[in-house]
């Protein structure tokens, strides 16, 4: 049982003077009336898509905006490191960075769809990273889609890749034209992406994709993370990003 969120109660009070019924509000939020009643009673947590719709439709109201953040902080925190087995191929600093992304994914989605660009010298750390993300997002109950950049997706995979809250593309350095188009479509509507590669984003041959990744993804360099896997006493363990890199975050 989830505590009944003030957010839904406030939405009901906000729209009542307009003559809206629960059915009207449910239609505006693109959910069924039954789902809205479950949200209101606390029997069911809000989905990320519903939260995004609330922000898009009612985010101009300060109270709704504040209650949305309160809800995100209360209901979408995840201690993934304690519940997800970490592969030995994944440096501890990298696993913590990935876990942090999962924990704050709802906020990232609301704030512009920022993603991750994972780079390594070989396939094992990248494979381990994807497995870690799949497990952590599964634990959080968040739907994701995963594609190989060089494999033509089926019709079902294509639909999932476009609509899922998060798309993971493995080995973007071998991207096909179709998968490249999917990446562009998601970037155009600010839907988050995680990509893996053996090349840094600056070295990608596609100019448009390179600009996408440099602007809307955060670089996690598993090569540097592995080199610093045993931190010195008193030195905080973070995933280092080479200072010479031009890769910057689009949103803080």
């Amino acid at each position: 049982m989830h505590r009944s969120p003030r957010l839904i109660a406030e939405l009901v009070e906000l729209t009542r003077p307009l003559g809206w019924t629960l059915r009207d509000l449910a239609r505006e939020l693109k959910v069924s009336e039954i789902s809205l009643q479950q949200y209101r009673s606390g029997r069911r947590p809000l989905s990320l898509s519903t939260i995004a719709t609330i922000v898009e439709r009612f985010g101009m109201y300060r109270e709704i905006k504040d209650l949305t953040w309160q809800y995100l902080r209360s209901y979408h925190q995840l201690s993934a490191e304690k519940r997800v087995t970490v592969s030995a191929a994944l440096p501890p600093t990298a696993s913590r960075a990935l876990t942090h992304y999962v924990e704050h994914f709802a906020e990232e989605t609301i704030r512009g769809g920022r993603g991750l660009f994972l780079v390594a010298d070989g396939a094992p750390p990248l494979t381990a990273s994807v497995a870690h993300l799949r497990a952590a997002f599964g634990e959080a109950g968040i739907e994701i889609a995963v594609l190989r950049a060089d494999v033509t997706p089926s019709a079902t995979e294509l639909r999932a890749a476009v609509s899922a809250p998060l798309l993971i593309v493995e080995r973007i350095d071998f991207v096909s034209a179709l998968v490249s188009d999917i990446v562009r479509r998601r970037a155009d509507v600010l839907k988050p992406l995680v990509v893996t590669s053996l090349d840094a984003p600056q070295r990608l041959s596609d100019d448009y994709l390179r600009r996408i990744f440099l602007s809307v993804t955060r670089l996690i360099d598993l090569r540097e993370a592995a080199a610093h896997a045993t931190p010195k006493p008193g030195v905080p363990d973070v995933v280092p990003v080479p200072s010479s890199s031009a890769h910057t975050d689009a949103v803080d």
Side-chain angles (χ1 to χ4, degrees):
M1 175 73 74
H2 297 270
R3 181 170 56 85
S4 180
R6 288 180 54 205
L7 174 58
I8 299 301
E10 185 65 26
L11 282 173
V12 172
E13 289 302 313
L14 177 68
T15 57
R16 181 173 289 142
L18 303 176
W20 288 24
T21 64
L22 282 181
R23 178 174 298 179
D24 296 326
L25 180 57
R27 185 183 304 112
E28 191 70 21
L29 298 182
K30 303 176 183 177
V31 300
S32 69
E33 188 175 355
I34 292 176
S35 293
L36 182 60
Q37 290 171 343
Q38 291 174 335
Y39 294 152
R40 187 184 187 187
S41 67
R43 295 197 303 272
R44 178 178 175 184
L46 293 170
S47 67
L48 288 177
S49 61
T50 301
I51 293 172
T53 302
I54 291 172
V55 172
E56 180 181 358
R57 180 63 181 84
F58 300 100
M60 74 287 293
Y61 298 100
R62 178 61 183 270
E63 183 71 11
I64 298 301
K65 187 176 181 180
D66 290 345
L67 287 173
T68 299
W69 283 111
Q70 182 184 72
Y71 184 85
L72 289 172
R73 286 193 295 269
S74 299
Y75 290 97
H76 287 277
Q77 295 298 314
L78 173 67
S79 300
E81 277 189 317
K82 297 179 180 179
R83 290 182 275 178
V84 177
T85 301
V86 179
S87 167
L90 190 60
T93 51
S95 69
R96 281 189 281 275
L98 297 178
T99 295
H100 183 271
Y101 182 72
V102 177
E103 290 175 346
H104 296 274
F105 181 70
E107 297 170 29
E108 296 283 15
T109 301
I110 296 298
R111 296 169 62 185
R114 184 168 53 179
L116 301 175
F117 192 105
L118 311 178
V119 62
D121 285 328
L126 298 179
T127 301
S129 295
V130 172
H132 184 83
L133 287 172
R134 294 182 80 152
F137 275 110
E139 192 71 40
I142 299 172
E143 178 190 0
I144 66 172
V146 181
L147 293 180
R148 280 278 305 186
D150 58 341
V151 175
T152 301
S154 66
T156 300
E157 291 172 331
L158 181 59
R159 286 193 296 271
V162 172
S163 63
L166 175 72
L167 171 63
I168 299 177
V169 181
E170 298 188 79
R171 297 302 303 276
I172 198 68
D173 39 322
F174 290 111
V175 66
S176 66
L178 180 55
V179 175
S180 176
D181 181 63
I182 294 171
V183 169
R184 292 166 186 251
R185 290 167 62 184
R186 287 186 65 95
D188 286 344
V189 293
L190 301 179
K191 298 189 75 171
L193 293 153
V194 171
V195 299
T196 72
S197 176
L198 294 186
D199 288 330
Q202 297 90 333
R203 297 185 59 188
L204 295 178
S205 58
D206 187 304
D207 291 339
Y208 190 82
L209 290 184
R210 183 168 63 248
R211 288 195 296 271
I212 288 174
F213 297 134
L214 289 175
S215 63
V216 299
T217 66
R218 180 185 299 120
L219 177 67
I220 295 184
D221 193 330
L222 299 175
R223 302 165 302 185
E224 293 289 332
H228 294 78
T230 306
K232 296 179 181 179
V235 178
D237 55 354
V238 299
V239 178
V241 178
S243 58
S244 60
S245 171
H247 197 166
T248 58
D249 291 339
V251 182
D252 289 325

